[in-house]
Amino acid sequence: MLDSLASAAAGMDPSKVNQIPSVELLRRLIAFPTVSRDSNLDLIHFIRDLLGPYDAEVRLTHDDDKRKANLFATLGPRGKPGIVLSGHTDVVPTEGQAWDTDPFNMVEKDGRLYGRGACDMKGFIACVLALIPEFLERGLKTPLHLAFSYDEEVGCIGVGRLIADIVHSGVRPNACIVGEPTGMRPIIAHKGKKSFRCTVRGLAGHSAYAPHGVNAVEYAAEAVAFLKNLARRHRDRGPFDRGFDIAHTTVHTGVIRGGTALNVIPHECAFDFEFRHLPGDDPEALLREFTDYVRKKLEPEMRPLHPSAGFTIEPLSDIPMLDTGPESEVVALAQDLTGERDFGKVSFATEGSQFQRAGIPTVVCGPGSIAQAHKPNEYVTLDQIARCEAFLRRLMEWMCKA
């Protein structure tokens, strides 16, 4: 299989690309439009049914509305710790993006597989599922656990229930490999992330009498500008950790909504912002600094005109840092499986930190580049799929003789 993929990646036999099991599985996974706002149950049930013939122990954990589910499956012997291969099933939206092809219909061109989720992160899931028969044929001596979650893209929400189910069931895995796109390079650390929604309440009126109202959009803009200055300060003064691809804590405002018409003083505006923080940098201190600014500087200007005017700040997500020691056995395992002596740290968050928090040593390693994620014309290369399959086959050798 590796030879077939390598040949296809080199453009030698593109007509046979869709006959490769991992590629065909990726095509089928991409066809499920599992944007986080929508259900992922069709995909989860597809994977559950795919595992049916393999004597897999499969458990689903649902969200409150029963519209989404995590899947946790165990193959091979029971009653031993085992290895977790983890991935999320949801993808980000495609609206407003200029795709050259249908994002939910995988297209192969010039050694690239295009589609939403191709690298983030259905490519990894497809490789894992395609090699399940081979894992079992080789004779697993230690359990292989599969952990596929919902709602990772909106704050790593679903995986908490999956991990709670693992803990409740008494399963104690030795290690977890999260297959986020890293170019098949082992990643031992990522930043933590805290995100918030800030709602600004003003006083509406006719724009001709703007001084008599409280313009929520303008006060929101001042608050966003304050956050931008926090971002500049960290960019210029640190603290820094040069092991990360972005060496400092970042502050980012990603969404803002407000106003109804140009001739109406806007009475409300809301914006979402985040801190992606280094180990040792305190996001709560940043939040206090921001809160002090709006409470002591902005609200005193707003309330003489309208006593109810002001700011409400509410948390949206809290993703802990991943910080696996380089001396950890799971790091050595990932290095052996990839053939890489090096390892890295990244700025994007993953579910790996929640597995680590639950006492499961974790690294991040998967096919594709984060530079392709969340963009139009997202793709993973056939070469990366080949490298992921080689990685999993080395894991297979280790698990079948352990």
Side-chain angles (χ1 to χ4, degrees):
M1 187 62 62
L2 182 59
D3 290 340
S4 298
L5 279 169
S7 297
M12 295 175 63
D13 196 0
S15 64
K16 295 183 178 180
V17 169
N18 286 324
Q19 298 176 22
I20 300 167
S22 56
V23 174
E24 170 60 15
L25 270 169
L26 179 56
R27 182 189 67 78
R28 298 187 71 177
L29 294 177
I30 286 173
F32 292 103
T34 51
V35 177
S36 303
R37 63 172 177 256
D38 300 321
S39 174
N40 73 335
L41 289 181
D42 287 345
L43 182 149
I44 288 293
H45 293 163
F46 168 78
I47 295 175
R48 179 194 61 191
D49 295 344
L50 194 70
L51 296 174
Y54 301 120
D55 189 33
E57 180 183 319
V58 179
R59 295 198 303 279
L60 306 186
T61 50
H62 293 80
D63 69 344
D64 290 340
D65 298 327
K66 307 295 184 184
R67 294 180 60 248
K68 304 176 184 180
N70 304 302
L71 180 147
F72 184 76
T74 299
L75 299 110
R78 310 298 196 259
K80 296 181 179 181
I83 302 290
V84 178
L85 299 178
S86 169
H88 62 81
T89 62
D90 61 318
V91 297
V92 297
T94 61
E95 288 85 358
Q97 295 186 343
W99 282 74
D100 295 332
T101 60
D102 178 354
F104 298 106
N105 180 18
M106 191 192 79
V107 173
E108 186 276 329
K109 183 180 180 182
D110 299 328
R112 296 176 176 180
L113 304 172
Y114 290 92
R116 175 55 88 217
C119 76
D120 187 17
M121 56 181 296
K122 292 179 177 178
F124 177 76
I125 295 174
C127 288
V128 171
L129 294 176
L131 292 185
I132 292 299
E134 201 169 327
F135 269 97
L136 296 175
E137 287 167 9
R138 295 280 294 274
L140 284 166
K141 299 294 192 298
T142 188
L144 175 65
H145 306 293
L146 310 181
F148 301 142
S149 65
Y150 68 86
D151 279 2
E152 187 272 351
E153 295 287 8
V154 291
C156 295
I157 294 171
V159 74
R161 294 189 177 191
L162 186 152
I163 292 172
D165 180 59
I166 294 174
V167 172
H168 179 74
S169 70
V171 176
R172 295 292 183 269
N174 279 330
C176 175
I177 299 167
V178 178
E180 290 276 9
T182 70
M184 296 309 301
R185 181 191 186 202
I187 298 299
I188 67 170
H190 66 64
K191 294 177 181 177
K193 174 187 172 182
K194 284 182 177 285
S195 64
F196 304 89
R197 176 161 295 156
C198 182
T199 303
V200 187
R201 302 175 307 280
L203 176 64
H206 197 294
S207 64
Y209 299 90
H212 297 166
V214 179
N215 190 317
V217 167
E218 292 179 352
Y219 279 104
E222 291 194 68
V224 170
F226 182 86
L227 290 169
K228 181 61 179 177
N229 283 330
L230 288 181
R232 290 190 180 104
R233 188 181 76 198
H234 278 78
R235 178 198 65 193
D236 297 339
R237 290 189 275 163
F240 300 104
D241 182 336
R242 302 298 180 186
F244 281 86
D245 46 4
I246 302 294
H248 53 83
T249 292
T250 58
V251 184
H252 165 74
T253 303
V255 177
I256 188 165
R257 308 177 189 87
T260 56
L262 181 58
N263 62 352
V264 177
I265 301 167
H267 71 283
E268 186 172 279
C269 185
F271 59 92
D272 298 348
F273 65 97
E274 67 177 25
F275 305 128
R276 291 184 183 262
H277 55 95
L278 294 174
D281 207 356
D282 183 7
E284 294 301 326
L286 289 174
L287 181 63
R288 286 193 298 272
E289 195 171 346
F290 174 71
T291 303
D292 286 347
Y293 173 74
V294 301
R295 299 282 183 251
K296 296 176 182 179
K297 170 63 177 173
L298 299 183
E299 287 183 343
E301 296 179 6
M302 304 165 73
R303 288 183 172 165
L305 288 168
H306 188 51
S308 297
F311 287 73
T312 301
I313 304 167
E314 54 185 324
L316 293 179
S317 67
D318 183 359
I319 303 172
M321 295 173 292
L322 175 68
D323 193 9
T324 303
E327 73 289 345
S328 172
E329 289 183 8
V330 70
V331 175
L333 174 63
Q335 290 174 315
D336 287 344
L337 299 179
T338 59
E340 295 264 358
R341 292 299 91 197
D342 194 13
F343 48 77
K345 303 177 182 180
V346 294
S347 296
F348 64 88
T350 78
E351 295 170 332
S353 56
Q354 296 191 46
F355 284 99
Q356 185 188 57
R357 179 181 278 184
I360 305 170
T362 300
V363 294
V364 183
C365 187
S369 168
I370 197 66
Q372 302 306 324
H374 299 194
K375 291 182 177 180
N377 301 321
E378 176 185 349
Y379 68 85
V380 66
T381 66
L382 285 164
D383 176 68
Q384 283 288 302
I385 294 294
R387 290 181 63 185
C388 184
E389 288 201 358
F391 172 94
L392 291 170
R393 284 194 171 88
R394 293 187 194 108
L395 176 64
M396 197 183 299
E397 291 175 9
W398 185 85
M399 296 183 71
C400 293
K401 67 181 181 181

